[in-house]
Amino acid sequence: MSYAIYSFIHSISRTQKVSLLTKGLVNELISSESWNNVASLLKERGMIEEQPASIEDFEFMLKSRSLTLLEKIRNYFSIFRVTYNIVDLYIYMLSLDELKNIIVSIVNGIGNGDSNKIRFFKKYFDQIPSSLEELTNSFKGNIYANALSYAIKDGQGKNISYLLSLLDIYFIKKLSEIIEGFKGDWKSLAENIICYYKDYYSISLAIKHKTVENTVCKIGTEILKDLSSSTSNTEILDILRRTQYSKMLNVNNTYEALASLYRMARVNARKSSELVFMSSPFNPALALALAELIRLDTEDIVSIANAKSLRLKEEEIKKMLSFEII
């Protein structure tokens, strides 16, 4: 890339970063009395346009805002293939929950029905397709079609849960492949953002589906092989205690261990993304850092709203977030 292109990436990334969450606003959201108050505060700040009728609508509004922002950034980077592909993967990831719901509907035999489940994908179809093949064809060769083709091929003969997990793995595999092409400090800065995610997704796949995925960072494939052949929760937890994450994991049970590893990955990703903005200004990793922060902001606000609806205590909410708040 030329100096002018790096300058452009820097300028766009810096400009868009001002729309992101701050610790101050997060503390205000955590202190809100209900999820409705969380929504009201964000409406006052101009982050959503209207007061949602339900928490589901609130989540949709937040994701829609983030997707619109990511699409705007992707369009800015449309002539720079690397940064365009990075942002495209984050658009994919933010809309993945709806795609998974559609896939479950198809597999359960209720395709061509319940069109209320279609919100982000209305530009592709008005009704849920009747088959996974029809769904893949609806996307006409874009990232969703590529991800589905990958998951269907590798998940052939397996259960629906495995296919859905492969859609998550697709995100981190493709992101890792892009970053592998970076050089020097750019590569290390970008790798730091996704490092823990790589281990989280691969560990999850080994535990849940007994499959070894070699997209890893701090752990070796031997750990994954041991996890994939484990036969009990006790054995799984003993193996996790042998990893570099052992002192930071909650190893009371497998679910809590995975949840704490995912939270750890998110905290690390936020810190590492912020560091990119303090590094050399002419850095293509800025696009990755910006997209990751947009994703984290969305997940954090959704977590706060859902926690408020369940009347969880503030200290419990803080432990869910990618921000480290005392």
Side-chain angles (χ1 to χ4, degrees):
M1 289 186 190
S2 69
Y3 180 89
I5 291 176
Y6 292 139
S7 298
F8 183 79
I9 293 172
H10 171 72
S11 175
I12 293 300
S13 300
R14 292 279 181 186
T15 300
Q16 297 302 325
K17 190 176 183 293
V18 300
S19 64
L20 300 178
L21 280 180
T22 63
K23 273 192 177 181
L25 178 53
V26 170
N27 276 316
E28 286 187 67
L29 296 173
I30 292 172
S31 300
S32 299
E33 293 183 2
S34 67
W35 76 264
N36 274 300
N37 293 125
V38 171
S40 295
L41 181 55
L42 293 180
K43 183 174 178 289
E44 288 174 15
R45 298 297 181 92
M47 294 181 73
I48 57 174
E49 295 182 355
E50 59 186 75
Q51 190 71 16
S54 67
I55 196 165
E56 291 78 17
D57 287 342
F58 181 41
E59 183 172 344
F60 174 70
M61 286 180 186
L62 288 172
K63 287 189 175 182
S64 292
R65 172 185 179 272
S66 297
L67 285 168
T68 298
L69 181 56
L70 286 169
E71 286 169 355
K72 180 180 178 182
I73 295 166
R74 182 182 62 182
N75 289 340
Y76 284 143
F77 294 150
S78 60
I79 60 172
F80 316 132
R81 179 51 55 184
V82 169
T83 48
Y84 178 95
N85 287 343
I86 288 171
V87 179
D88 202 35
L89 280 164
Y90 276 90
I91 291 172
Y92 162 81
M93 199 60 182
L94 263 179
S95 54
L96 186 53
D97 283 345
E98 181 171 306
L99 180 61
K100 288 180 177 179
N101 288 335
I102 290 170
I103 290 170
V104 170
S105 294
I106 292 171
V107 172
N108 289 337
I110 53 175
N112 288 327
D114 200 2
S115 59
N116 291 330
K117 289 185 177 181
I118 306 170
R119 301 182 102 168
F120 296 123
F121 295 109
K122 281 191 179 296
K123 61 183 176 182
Y124 296 107
F125 40 77
D126 295 322
Q127 289 187 319
I128 294 176
S130 58
S131 68
L132 293 180
E133 182 181 6
E134 184 182 333
L135 177 64
T136 304
N137 291 337
S138 298
F139 292 125
K140 299 178 181 178
N142 63 20
I143 190 169
Y144 299 106
N146 295 338
L148 277 166
S149 296
Y150 161 78
I152 291 169
K153 179 181 177 182
D154 279 32
Q156 195 168 19
K158 303 289 181 67
N159 59 36
I160 181 65
S161 175
Y162 182 58
L163 187 147
L164 298 181
S165 292
L166 288 174
L167 293 174
D168 291 318
I169 287 290
Y170 180 85
F171 166 77
I172 202 64
K173 277 177 67 75
K174 292 301 175 183
L175 201 52
S176 298
E177 289 171 9
I178 293 171
I179 291 170
E180 194 59 36
F182 287 8
K183 296 180 180 179
D185 289 343
W186 298 347
K187 183 175 181 179
S188 62
L189 286 166
E191 182 66 28
N192 286 342
I193 294 174
I194 69 166
C195 175
Y196 290 16
Y197 283 132
K198 290 165 73 171
D199 289 346
Y200 165 76
Y201 285 119
S202 294
I203 286 172
S204 296
L205 201 68
I207 291 173
K208 295 176 182 178
H209 304 292
K210 307 303 177 186
T211 300
V212 175
E213 168 57 56
N214 291 324
T215 304
V216 291
C217 181
K218 291 182 176 294
I219 62 168
T221 53
E222 286 304 315
I223 289 288
L224 297 179
K225 289 177 182 176
D226 289 345
L227 287 170
S228 68
S229 60
S230 61
T231 57
S232 68
N233 283 332
T234 300
E235 192 175 350
I236 289 170
L237 296 175
D238 285 342
I239 296 166
L240 291 177
R241 290 188 184 97
R242 289 163 33 204
T243 70
Q244 290 89 330
Y245 300 108
S246 59
K247 293 181 180 179
M248 298 176 282
L249 286 178
N250 182 335
V251 289
N252 290 330
N253 58 62
T254 301
Y255 173 82
E256 290 183 11
L258 288 174
S260 60
L261 179 55
Y262 184 62
R263 199 255 170 161
M264 197 187 308
R266 297 178 72 249
V267 169
N268 175 74
R270 183 172 287 279
K271 286 180 180 177
S272 299
S273 295
E274 293 288 355
L275 283 174
V276 174
F277 279 90
M278 292 186 277
S279 66
S280 166
F282 307 115
N283 186 345
L286 280 168
L288 170 64
L290 178 60
E292 177 62 29
L293 289 172
I294 291 170
R295 174 199 186 189
L296 291 172
D297 282 2
T298 307
E299 290 180 350
D300 281 345
I301 297 173
V302 169
S303 292
I304 293 170
N306 282 320
K308 288 296 175 182
S309 72
L310 295 171
R311 302 183 182 278
L312 297 184
K313 295 179 180 179
E314 290 186 17
E315 290 307 310
E316 293 178 84
I317 298 173
K318 290 176 183 179
K319 294 175 183 177
M320 300 175 177
L321 308 180
S322 63
F323 284 93
E324 289 187 301
I325 299 175
I326 300 173

